[in-house]
C-alpha cells in the first residue's frame, strides 16, 4: 500500500467513514488525476455528481476540520438523518478534496486531526525552482488561452482565461473538470513530448480552435496556446461589460472574419436585421463603435507568443 493510500485509509478509519475518495489537484484542476478510493460501499457514480451532492466542510487546519466533522457527524446521528457525502478541502494540500461517505459510528477524535495533517503533507507540492515560479507568475498574467506543462503533459499552471473556459473562475480556486474538458488534456498528453513547435486542431471545446505547442528551454516544459474562434470568443467575453450571448459572439466573430450581414444571416438562418440587432448589442457591451472598432478589437486579441525568459535561459 502506498503512503498516500495508507494515510487516506487512516483518515477513513478514524472518522468511521464507510468509503473515502481522494481527489488530487493539479494546477487547480480536480478530476485530472484518477481519484484514490479506500473502504467498502457501492462503487461511486459519476464524480461530478458525488462532488456536487457532498456537503462542504470548511476548515483551515486539521484540528479545525476534525472538530467540524465531529460536530456535523454527531448532529446527523442524533437527528437520525440519512448518511450523506461530506466534502473536505484539505488544508495545505495543493487544493485536494476528500469525499467521505459517513458510516454509522463516527469517531472523530484528536487522532483524526493528526491523520488529516499527515494526509495533507503527503499531497503537499514539492518546492518549485525559482525560474519555474517566474514562468508561472508570467502565465498568471497572460491574457490568452495558455497552459504551462511538464514533459509528461501534466499542467504546471494555466492562464486565468483558460481556467475560466475550462469551467472555473479567474481567481485560481480548484474546480472539477467536466468529461468534455478532460479531452483537451488527454490530447496534450498524446502530443508530448514535443520535439519542436507543432500545431493541431484543439479538442474538448465548444468552438473550433488551433492548439500550438512550443517546447521551452531544454524541453522540460512546453507552452500550450489555443488560438482561433474559441480563443477570440473567450477574450471577447472577458472584455465585455455584460454577459455576451452565444449568438452575439457568433455574429461578431463572423463579422471580424470579413463576412457581410447577409452572409452571416444566411449562415445562421436568421434575417440581416436580426444580425444587426445582435451586433449592436455586442458593440455596446464591448464599448466599440461599429464594425471597424470590433475588427480592431478582435485583431488585438492575439498577441505574438511571449518569451518565457526564465525557462528559455536554461537552453
Amino acid at each position: 500500500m502506498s503512503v498516500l493510500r495508507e494515510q487516506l485509509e487512516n483518515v477513513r478509519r478514524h472518522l468511521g467513514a464507510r468509503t473515502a475518495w481522494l481527489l488530487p489537484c493539479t494546477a487547480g484542476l480536480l478530476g485530472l488525476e484518477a481519484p484514490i478510493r479506500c473502504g467498502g460501499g457501492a462503487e461511486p457514480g459519476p464524480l461530478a455528481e458525488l462532488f456536487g451532492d457532498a456537503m462542504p466542510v470548511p476548515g483551515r487546519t486539521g484540528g479545525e476540520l476534525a472538530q467540524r466533522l465531529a460536530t456535523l457527524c454527531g448532529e446527523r446521528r442524533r437527528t437520525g438523518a440519512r448518511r450523506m457525502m461530506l466534502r473536505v478541502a484539505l488544508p495545505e494540500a495543493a487544493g485536494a478534496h476528500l469525499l467521505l461517505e459517513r458510516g454509522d459510528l463516527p469517531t472523530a477524535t484528536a487522532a483524526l486531526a493528526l491523520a488529516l495533517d499527515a494526509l495533507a503533507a503527503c499531497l503537499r507540492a514539492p518546492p518549485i525552482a525559482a525560474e519555474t515560479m517566474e514562468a508561472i507568475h508570467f502565465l498568471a498574467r497572460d491574457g490568452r488561452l495558455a497552459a504551462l506543462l511538464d514533459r509528461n503533459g501534466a499542467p504546471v499552471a494555466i492562464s486565468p482565461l483558460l481556467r475560466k473556459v475550462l469551467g472555473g473562475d479567474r481567481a485560481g480556486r480548484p474546480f472539477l473538470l467536466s468529461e468534455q474538458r478532460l479531452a483537451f488534456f488527454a490530447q496534450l498528453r498524446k502530443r508530448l513530448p514535443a520535439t519542436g513547435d507543432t500545431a493541431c486542431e484543439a479538442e474538448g471545446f465548444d468552438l473550433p480552435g488551433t492548439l500550438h505547442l512550443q517546447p521551452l528551454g531544454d524541453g522540460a516544459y512546453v507552452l500550450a496556446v489555443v488560438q482561433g474562434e474559441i480563443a477570440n470568443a473567450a477574450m471577447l467575453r472577458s472584455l465585455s461589460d455584460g454577459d455576451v450571448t452565444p449568438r452575439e459572439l457568433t455574429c461578431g466573430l463572423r463579422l471580424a472574419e470579413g463576412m457581410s450581414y447577409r452572409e452571416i444571416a444566411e449562415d445562421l438562418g436568421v434575417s440581416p436585421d436580426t444580425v444587426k440587432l445582435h451586433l449592436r448589442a455586442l458593440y455596446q457591451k464591448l464599448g466599440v463603435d461599429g464594425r471597424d472598432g470590433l475588427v480592431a478589437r478582435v485583431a488585438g486579441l492575439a498577441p505574438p507568443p511571449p518569451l518565457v525568459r526564465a525557462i528559455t535561459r536554461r537552453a
Side-chain angles (χ1 to χ4, degrees), residues 135-158:
I136 291 174
H137 290 155
F138 176 89
L139 197 62
R141 300 187 299 272
D142 200 353
R144 301 168 303 163
L145 269 65
L148 182 67
L149 313 157
D150 64 20
R151 67 175 77 238
N152 298 316
V156 178
I158 58 177

Side-chain angles (χ1 to χ4, degrees), residues 64-81:
E64 184 179 355
L65 284 171
Q67 183 178 9
R68 293 191 179 205
L69 282 166
T71 302
L72 180 59
C73 289
E75 290 175 353
R76 303 291 294 183
R77 186 182 181 189
R78 283 193 298 272
T79 59

Side-chain angles (χ1 to χ4, degrees), residues 7 39 83 122 180 209 214 273-274:
Q7 295 296 346
R83 287 190 297 271
C122 289
Q180 180 185 10
Q214 175 190 353
D273 288 338
T274 300

Side-chain angles (χ1 to χ4, degrees), residues 140 235 269:
M235 293 174 188

Side-chain angles (χ1 to χ4, degrees), residues 22-25 89-97 116 119-125:
L22 179 66
L23 278 66
C25 187
L90 294 173
E92 301 180 9
H97 281 244
L116 287 166
L119 180 61
C122 289
L123 292 161
R124 194 170 296 136

Side-chain angles (χ1 to χ4, degrees), residues 227-310:
Q227 297 176 340
E229 193 167 328
I230 177 63
N232 289 338
M235 293 174 188
L236 282 176
R237 279 197 180 100
S238 70
L239 293 172
S240 68
D241 292 331
D243 293 332
V244 178
T245 68
R247 188 51 61 92
E248 290 168 359
L249 278 174
T250 302
C251 291
L253 293 172
R254 296 290 185 272
L255 188 71
E257 292 169 0
M259 294 178 67
S260 67
Y261 294 143
R262 185 171 297 279
E263 289 172 333
I264 298 173
E266 291 176 355
D267 184 46
L268 299 179
V270 297
S271 70
D273 288 338
T274 300
V275 171
K276 292 178 182 179
L277 286 174
H278 289 312
L279 288 172
R280 193 174 298 122
L282 182 62
Y283 297 156
Q284 184 176 4
K285 293 173 183 178
L286 294 177
V288 298
D289 295 325
R291 178 199 295 262
D292 292 341
L294 175 66
V295 172
R297 176 63 62 89
V298 173
L301 291 179
L307 181 67
V308 184
R309 297 183 303 276

